[in-house]
Amino acid sequence: MRQLIIIFLLLLSPAFIEAQVRQKKSDSLHRALTNAANDSIRMDIYDQLEYFFQGKSRDSSRFYKDRSLRIANRLKLQIHEDDIFADKGILLRASGFLITAQEEDTDSLRQAFMNATTDSIRYMLSSILGGYYTEVNWDSALYYKEVALHLAKTNNKKLDEAAAQNNKGYTLMQLGRFPESYQCFQEALKLAGNPENEEKTWWSVDKENIIHSARLYFLAYIHNDFSHLLRTTGKTYEAIFHLMETKKIALQTGNQVIIGWVDKNIGKSYVLINKLDSALILEESAVKKLNRNEGRKYLSDAYHIMGQIYLKQNNSKRAIQNFHQGIQSATEQKNFTYLTENYSSLTRLYTENEKNKDSSLYYARKNLALLLSMESRDLGNAFQNLYRSYQLNGNIDSAYKYQGLALAANDSANQARIKSLLDFQNMSFDDQLRLKELEREKVIAENRIQMYAMLAGLAACLVIGLILFYSYRKKQEANKVLEHTLSNLKSTQFQLIQSEKMASLGELTAGIAHEIQNPLNFVNNFSEINKELTVELEDELSKGNVDDIRSITKNIRENEEKISLHGKRADAIVKNMLQHSRSASGTKVPTDINALADEFLRLAYHGIRGKDGSFNATMQTDFDQSIGKIDVVPQDIGRVLLNLYNNAFYACAAHFRDKASDIPVISVSTKKAGNKIEIAVTDNGIGISRKIIDKIFQPFFTTKPTGQGTGLGLSLAYDIVKSHGGEIKVSSVEMKGSEFIVTLNTNA
């Protein structure tokens, strides 16, 4: 009798009754599937079965989802609003957080987006496309997320707007735009935290608790993503607080994927505050939870964090294993952001050991190639890794190249990041309120502007009339001045020639600044060190420590010697430049032609780099050391060389402006031939046309645009060389380059 009562109670238990209801619903759906009359009905039933098995059988849910997608593809993506936003698909299709797309689907999705007939469909498709480009191409992701945000705002769908604000904030954070990201997250938290917004959404509500759960999901995701921004900007403990809020909501809703993400992100924060053991436990837990369909996209990040933890614990073997697992997972899920992080960490790890130099270079190259394919703006670390890898492999030229690129990229990125961080630090909740007040004032100001614009239009008409009248009067005066101007033309031409000589020296300004900066930096640095040493010396004198006093005075004396050395170096540079800037006296002095050619080559290069920082060129020299010194006027020959160098750099810049893969090359060589020497300047620039090559030494002839050349440079160079008893020749092939050869007598 007792057994019968127990069986009866079990039959009446809620769990048993719920199981019976689920079984009946499953049987009913399968019968409906068997009797379905067309593909549209079958796709709808597959969607219901997919939703029915969510959280109960992952394999069954995925099976029915695949069947639904196949029918959708066969129907050419004939999307219907009711199918998209029905409650049965709320978490997998329209949450704005879990949306993903396969690479092969993007063309169809973009076409469907262009052909969408309602804002609700456009919102869903733009969210899917934004989710696909996340971690792949941040600029494209930002575009589609802004489209989704605009659609949600326009239609007053507050819950959808919260999702879109969160997605935009996360993307802006990845782009380094921290203040804008902060504003988006704050707005998203306010919208999702308001229960009154639960029904302001496109999703249909067949069960009263689904939208409430959806809002909580949104709130959890927003807290989670906001923690990324806080951790990135150095607010680690604030980030942990928001992650704990996320976990509280996730535990309430029972979403294991969100719990896995939270554990991963809390572990990442613990690494920053050096709680390595706790961080490792959380990451291991996250790997188990994320190893599911919905969570695998960020599984690679968990492996990467574990690798970093093992690295801090001096366990390189386990670190390498996790980095490789991260690479495998990121590759499978097409999560390029964390793929680059795993590549970068492996590169740095392998760089520490010469035995792994090949592996270091391999991953450094893959990392840079991937970042370039992502159109990333942050290439400094990739360049730095390549510099170290090439240095480890003994490839000094490539190492030097990437060191320069790393310095330039890091300097630019650091400046932008520092500015963004400063802007972020200065923001507060009061700033947000102030911005809203400014928006209200902006509307009032726009009305005023419209009125002022009308008045400004009338004033502009009056001003134009006055200008026309004034122009007419000035034209009359100009005609009178013209006769006087023509009479002074010869005098002006003479002055222009003198100005050209001085202008050539002006080209050296940037080069001189570059040359003198290094010794001045040494002088400043060693002076600062001596100041600190004198303070230490006073302390040691008061203590009577003779040995330390001797050591400090020795250091001071050595530093003073270095200051003197670099001061003399700067003095020599200044004296040398003063000598070249003086008007030529016409007196020939013994001059080292090789040194003169090399010096003006460097100064000319730094001069053009000062004007155009993006210009780079390879400079090759081949000097005949048997030449020795010859009698020339160094200021004049320097002007000749400077003019030839500037023309060579200009020709290369014009030729390679749109050819980033090619490298400009300027070659300078000297050669002794009997009682003559030859100075050859060769470039692979744009070349000179046969039609004009005979005219280039004529006064005032130039191929440069108006304002960029007077046409006197080569004419003066020709005259100077002739005055030294030499000659200057040119040969050129269009689009291949030019060569100028200056020939001088050794007893010139």
Side-chain angles (χ1 to χ4, degrees):
M1 185 66 179
R2 181 180 298 175
Q3 292 176 344
L4 291 174
I5 293 173
I6 292 173
I7 293 172
F8 179 74
L9 291 174
L10 287 173
L11 292 173
L12 293 177
S13 67
F16 180 83
I17 293 173
E18 184 180 356
Q20 291 297 312
V21 171
R22 287 201 305 267
Q23 185 61 43
K24 288 181 179 179
K25 184 172 183 179
S26 174
D27 294 340
S28 175
L29 288 171
H30 280 94
R31 284 195 299 272
L33 182 63
T34 303
N35 299 324
N38 55 53
D39 281 345
S40 296
I41 297 175
R42 275 190 288 273
M43 184 172 68
D44 185 74
I45 297 172
Y46 280 137
D47 286 342
Q48 294 183 53
L49 285 167
E50 174 202 348
Y51 176 73
F52 176 82
F53 283 106
Q54 285 176 19
K56 305 176 185 67
S57 173
R58 186 175 65 187
D59 292 338
S60 297
S61 177
R62 186 174 182 180
F63 170 83
Y64 291 117
K65 179 181 179 180
D66 289 340
R67 291 294 182 274
S68 176
L69 287 174
R70 288 183 183 180
I71 294 177
N73 288 331
R74 190 161 63 244
L75 293 175
K76 305 292 186 184
L77 284 174
Q78 295 174 356
I79 300 173
H80 299 283
E81 186 172 354
D82 292 339
D83 293 330
I84 294 169
F85 293 100
D87 66 305
K88 60 180 177 263
I90 185 173
L91 296 180
L92 288 177
R93 290 190 175 188
S95 70
F97 299 95
L98 296 178
I99 288 175
T100 58
Q102 297 298 319
E103 184 174 5
E104 58 269 22
D105 296 335
T106 53
D107 291 337
S108 298
L109 288 170
R110 281 194 292 266
Q111 186 63 40
F113 175 78
M114 296 297 294
N115 297 331
T117 57
T118 65
D119 282 352
S120 57
I121 296 177
R122 277 190 287 270
Y123 173 84
M124 185 278 293
L125 292 173
S126 60
S127 297
I128 292 177
L129 287 164
Y132 166 74
Y133 284 112
T134 297
E135 316 294 349
V136 175
N137 186 310
W138 291 109
D139 290 327
S140 297
L142 180 61
Y143 168 76
Y144 285 109
K145 291 174 182 180
E146 286 181 332
V147 170
L149 177 59
H150 173 74
L151 292 168
K153 281 185 174 181
T154 303
N155 291 274
N156 195 34
K157 302 299 183 181
K158 298 296 184 182
L159 206 54
D160 306 319
E161 183 183 343
Q165 288 279 15
N166 177 79
N167 292 334
K168 181 181 176 182
Y170 182 79
T171 305
L172 288 170
M173 176 202 68
Q174 294 289 352
L175 291 170
R177 294 159 63 177
F178 302 140
E180 298 171 75
S181 174
Y182 179 85
Q183 293 174 4
C184 289
F185 284 129
Q186 288 295 319
E187 187 65 23
L189 284 171
K190 185 177 73 173
L191 292 170
N194 186 355
E196 294 179 2
N197 293 331
E198 286 186 348
E199 295 185 5
K200 295 178 180 179
T201 175
W202 271 303
W203 308 323
S204 59
V205 187
D206 294 337
K207 298 181 181 179
E208 63 181 49
N209 66 330
I210 285 185
I211 284 296
H212 176 68
S213 298
R215 186 180 65 82
L216 293 180
Y217 274 119
F218 287 180
L219 200 55
Y221 281 112
I222 295 166
H223 279 296
N224 179 73
D225 291 347
F226 188 31
S227 72
H228 287 292
L229 174 64
L230 294 171
R231 184 176 61 248
T232 302
T233 53
K235 299 180 179 294
T236 305
Y237 290 97
E238 290 91 332
I240 293 174
F241 166 80
H242 283 277
L243 289 169
M244 291 302 183
E245 289 294 307
T246 304
K247 193 165 187 176
K248 185 190 303 181
I249 298 172
L251 291 171
Q252 180 181 344
T253 57
N255 190 310
Q256 294 299 307
V257 173
I258 301 180
I259 295 173
W261 285 348
V262 174
D263 286 346
K264 172 181 73 69
N265 292 326
I266 294 176
K268 183 181 287 189
S269 299
Y270 279 169
V271 171
L272 296 177
I273 58 177
N274 211 31
K275 291 185 176 181
L276 300 182
D277 293 333
S278 300
L280 186 59
I281 293 172
L282 285 167
E283 294 305 325
E284 289 173 346
S285 171
V287 167
K288 294 178 182 177
K289 293 181 175 66
L290 292 176
N291 204 4
R292 307 180 180 201
N293 287 338
E294 300 89 344
R296 285 177 184 167
K297 183 172 184 179
Y298 294 96
L299 183 61
S300 55
D301 186 28
Y303 284 127
H304 180 257
I305 298 168
M306 290 174 67
Q308 296 287 355
I309 295 170
Y310 283 121
L311 206 56
K312 287 178 176 288
Q313 294 177 342
N314 297 319
N315 191 341
S316 299
K317 183 177 179 181
R318 293 294 300 276
I320 292 172
Q321 291 175 354
N322 279 276
F323 289 146
H324 279 295
Q325 286 179 293
I327 289 172
Q328 180 181 351
S329 176
T331 303
E332 292 172 354
Q333 299 300 317
K334 293 184 175 59
N335 190 328
F336 297 156
T337 297
Y338 293 115
L339 183 56
T340 63
E341 290 193 8
N342 281 282
Y343 281 155
S344 181
S345 294
L346 266 181
T347 301
R348 288 194 294 270
L349 180 57
Y350 284 138
T351 305
E352 295 174 0
N353 190 336
E354 189 173 357
K355 294 180 180 179
N356 298 319
K357 60 183 181 181
D358 292 336
S359 297
S360 172
L361 185 58
Y362 171 78
Y363 286 108
R365 286 173 170 170
K366 287 181 74 69
N367 188 31
L368 178 60
L370 182 57
L371 286 169
L372 291 173
S373 71
M374 294 170 64
E375 301 178 8
S376 172
R377 301 185 183 97
D378 188 9
L379 301 175
N381 288 333
F383 288 146
Q384 186 73 12
N385 287 339
L386 271 170
Y387 153 65
R388 291 172 178 167
S389 298
Y390 276 121
Q391 190 178 44
L392 185 65
N393 281 268
N395 192 333
I396 303 303
D397 291 340
S398 295
Y400 177 76
K401 168 189 172 183
Y402 283 105
Q403 183 186 34
L405 291 172
L407 289 173
N410 284 330
D411 181 64
S412 176
N414 288 338
Q415 289 180 5
R417 183 176 177 83
I418 289 170
K419 182 181 183 303
S420 187
L421 283 171
L422 287 174
D423 292 342
F424 176 77
Q425 294 294 339
N426 291 330
M427 292 189 69
S428 64
F429 288 101
D430 291 337
D431 293 328
Q432 306 303 310
L433 296 175
R434 181 176 59 82
L435 289 173
K436 291 184 178 298
E437 181 64 21
L438 289 175
E439 285 293 325
R440 188 183 68 83
E441 294 176 358
K442 180 180 177 181
V443 175
I444 298 174
E446 288 176 349
N447 294 331
R448 290 177 181 171
I449 290 171
Q450 291 179 356
M451 181 181 67
Y452 293 153
M454 294 175 62
L455 296 175
L458 295 175
C461 292
L462 178 61
V463 170
I464 291 172
L466 292 173
I467 290 174
L468 291 174
F469 176 76
Y470 178 76
S471 298
Y472 173 76
R473 292 292 301 272
K474 293 298 290 182
K475 184 177 180 181
Q476 297 298 319
E477 295 176 4
N479 289 334
K480 296 178 181 179
V481 174
L482 182 60
E483 295 178 2
H484 179 71
T485 302
L486 291 174
S487 67
N488 295 328
L489 180 59
K490 291 184 179 181
S491 175
T492 303
Q493 288 177 337
F494 176 77
Q495 293 174 5
L496 185 59
I497 292 172
Q498 298 301 316
S499 298
E500 172 65 21
K501 293 180 180 180
M502 297 306 297
S504 66
L505 293 174
E507 298 288 344
L508 299 177
T509 302
I512 295 170
H514 182 275
E515 287 294 306
I516 204 170
Q517 187 64 45
N518 288 336
L520 290 180
N521 285 341
F522 279 111
V523 170
N524 291 334
N525 292 340
F526 285 117
S527 296
E528 291 296 326
I529 293 172
N530 274 1
K531 286 181 182 180
E532 297 175 2
L533 290 174
T534 54
V535 174
E536 294 181 14
L537 181 60
E538 290 175 357
D539 292 340
E540 298 302 330
L541 282 170
S542 63
K543 297 176 183 178
N545 296 334
V546 178
D547 292 338
D548 290 340
I549 291 171
R550 289 175 179 169
S551 175
I552 292 172
T553 55
K554 180 182 178 182
N555 289 337
I556 292 174
R557 184 168 56 255
E558 291 175 351
N559 289 344
E560 288 297 329
E561 291 174 356
K562 294 175 181 176
I563 290 172
S564 176
L565 173 65
H566 292 290
K568 291 177 181 178
R569 180 183 170 197
D571 180 62
I573 293 172
V574 172
K575 287 180 178 178
N576 199 14
M577 292 306 101
L578 287 174
Q579 178 184 1
H580 289 302
S581 66
R582 295 191 186 101
S583 297
S585 63
T587 303
K588 297 178 181 179
V589 296
T591 304
D592 186 340
I593 290 295
N594 291 338
L596 190 69
D598 185 57
E599 177 184 359
F600 274 89
L601 178 62
R602 288 185 289 106
L603 293 176
Y605 179 63
H606 292 306
I608 195 169
R609 286 273 297 162
K611 294 180 180 179
D612 182 4
S614 65
F615 178 76
N616 288 291
T618 298
M619 295 180 290
Q620 300 174 348
T621 57
D622 182 14
F623 297 137
D624 186 347
Q625 301 301 326
S626 66
I627 292 175
K629 295 184 177 181
I630 65 171
D631 293 334
V632 295
V633 181
Q635 296 95 326
D636 286 347
I637 298 301
R639 290 190 183 105
V640 172
L641 293 173
L642 180 63
N643 186 270
L644 296 180
Y645 294 154
N646 285 338
N647 286 343
F649 286 128
Y650 178 87
C652 287
H655 187 48
F656 292 97
R657 183 173 293 112
D658 300 322
K659 299 179 180 180
S661 60
D662 296 329
I663 301 175
V665 179
I666 288 84
S667 302
V668 181
S669 64
T670 59
K671 181 176 66 174
K672 187 172 183 180
N675 63 343
K676 296 180 181 291
I677 66 160
E678 292 182 354
I679 306 171
V681 179
T682 308
D683 66 74
N684 61 343
I686 199 169
I688 305 171
S689 170
R690 288 185 178 181
K691 297 179 181 179
I692 64 172
I693 196 166
D694 294 331
K695 302 177 182 179
I696 62 174
F697 294 114
Q698 296 177 5
F700 303 106
F701 179 82
T702 180
T703 60
K704 297 178 182 177
T706 303
Q708 295 189 20
T710 62
L712 293 173
L714 285 176
S715 174
L716 290 174
Y718 183 85
D719 291 341
I720 291 171
V721 173
K722 283 295 183 182
S723 69
H724 280 71
E727 61 178 347
I728 181 169
K729 297 179 180 178
V730 60
S731 60
S732 180
V733 178
E734 282 192 83
M735 308 311 293
K736 292 293 181 67
S738 304
E739 180 181 41
F740 285 82
I741 299 177
V742 177
T743 304
L744 299 173
N745 296 322
T746 55
N747 56 355

